[in-house]
Amino acid sequence: MEAALAVPNSTRPAAPVPPQLKANKQAKSGLVAAGETHYGCAYERVCLYSDAGFVTGYKLSFYTCAFVDLGGVNFPTGGKWNDRMSAYVNNQTDGTTSIFYNWNGASNWSVMFSTVAIDWNSNVGSTYNDKMDAIRVC
């Protein structure tokens, strides 16, 4: 499923200003060739998966550099994509960073983690599972 940019959720403020990024993760680019599809995620895309392991569940794919409130993106079985992510693939061009956010429920977006392409995680674990509310692609 290719995601269109979400309509802003009226109960949440505008996109946060991106923080100054530090590459805190080692890119896995030495293990894979740029331009390949990884775990069903096409090159130059960031993909979110509803289930761990990349095999079952639903996938959401982003190409355009933008902040996307997942609370404005419909989930295939009802509801929205916020609080549904269990795995991701950052298959953007090598070295491109995407940032994952959580809405604190009161007044702001909190950075949960960032990922530097090419990178993936088949199970984000209990710290991040089903807690992502937004993504800044690129």
Side-chain angles (χ1 to χ4, degrees):
M1 173 181 154
E2 200 65 34
L5 290 181
V7 175
N9 186 328
S10 61
T11 62
R12 298 180 184 177
V17 175
Q20 292 296 334
L21 299 176
K22 296 178 186 172
N24 59 0
K25 269 190 152 177
Q26 188 76 0
K28 297 178 182 173
S29 59
L31 304 176
V32 296
E36 292 182 359
T37 296
H38 301 290
Y39 302 105
C41 189
Y43 182 57
E44 296 186 334
R45 311 238 184 234
V46 173
C47 299
L48 310 182
Y49 298 82
S50 63
D51 294 348
F54 309 121
V55 178
T56 61
Y58 295 96
K59 176 179 82 175
L60 190 58
S61 176
F62 299 96
Y63 176 79
T64 304
C65 293
F67 177 88
V68 179
D69 178 351
L70 298 173
V73 179
N74 292 329
F75 192 75
T77 59
K80 303 296 181 181
W81 260 94
N82 60 306
D83 298 331
R84 303 269 186 151
M85 187 192 83
S86 296
Y88 70 87
V89 173
N90 182 352
N91 198 17
Q92 298 175 97
T93 56
D94 195 37
T96 304
T97 300
S98 285
I99 307 168
F100 293 85
Y101 295 88
N102 188 20
W103 172 248
N104 75 1
S107 62
N108 64 29
W109 296 99
S110 301
V111 173
M112 296 295 285
F113 66 93
S114 62
T115 170
V116 179
I118 297 171
D119 183 41
W120 59 89
N121 190 330
S122 65
N123 184 348
V124 295
S126 61
T127 302
Y128 304 121
N129 188 56
D130 295 337
K131 295 179 183 171
M132 294 303 118
D133 293 317
I135 183 172
R136 181 176 298 281
V137 179
C138 297

